[in-house]
Amino acid sequence: MTPEEILAGARTIAVVGLSRDPAKEAHAVPAVLQAHGFRIIPVHPSATELLGGKVYRKLEDIPEQVDLVDVFRPSAETPEVARSAVAIGAKALWLQQGIVSEEARRIAEEAGLAYVENRCTAVVRAIGRISFT
């Protein structure tokens, strides 16, 4: 699957590392996706509400199906995020621009998850003109 196909098939996106700071890409990118109709579920270790939604401490705490796990964390942390994405039955794992991990790729692909790394979801959304609004 292409990144565009993966994103177009993802209505519910859990964002691991969504930032409190609106000036950071880890906040602005999910906000853009939300503005285009994606359901964003924030995952953050200490915030309680981000982008108008309840924040979960970890992926396993989310009580609904997640289509895509979008990661804004350092590459070294992504294998654990990949394991969690597999555990919750996500359909895809996406590592944002600048984030790569052979181990996360292996974990995701062996479990049958679609996988993207080193790409920005907002850029792919814009190029593919993907919107649910």
Side-chain angles (χ1 to χ4, degrees):
M1 292 180 73
T2 68
E4 292 81 6
E5 291 169 332
I6 293 167
L7 190 58
R11 292 298 301 264
T12 302
I13 302 175
V15 180
V16 178
L18 198 152
S19 177
R20 294 179 185 180
D21 183 351
K24 291 188 174 183
E25 294 300 319
H27 183 96
V29 168
V32 165
L33 295 175
Q34 186 178 59
H36 286 277
F38 291 89
R39 172 149 163 58
I40 300 298
I41 301 174
V43 179
H44 188 281
S46 60
T48 56
E49 184 177 306
L50 289 169
L51 296 179
K54 178 180 176 177
V55 176
Y56 294 91
R57 301 286 167 255
K58 58 185 180 175
L59 289 170
E60 290 86 352
D61 293 339
I62 298 171
E64 63 188 275
Q65 177 61 45
V66 170
D67 298 318
L68 180 124
V69 174
D70 192 10
V71 184
F72 285 90
R73 299 297 306 147
S75 296
E77 294 180 23
T78 60
E80 187 58 38
V81 176
R83 287 183 195 92
S84 292
V86 169
I88 68 166
K91 298 174 187 172
L93 178 65
W94 190 300
L95 309 187
Q96 281 292 328
Q97 192 161 338
I99 307 170
V100 296
S101 171
E102 284 298 319
E103 186 178 0
R105 175 186 292 274
R106 181 188 53 76
I107 292 165
E109 290 181 345
E110 284 179 1
L113 276 69
Y115 182 84
V116 178
E117 67 181 12
N118 196 28
R119 296 285 300 270
C120 177
T121 48
V123 171
V124 170
R125 191 226 56 82
I127 291 169
R129 297 182 178 152
I130 303 163
S131 184
F132 298 108
T133 56

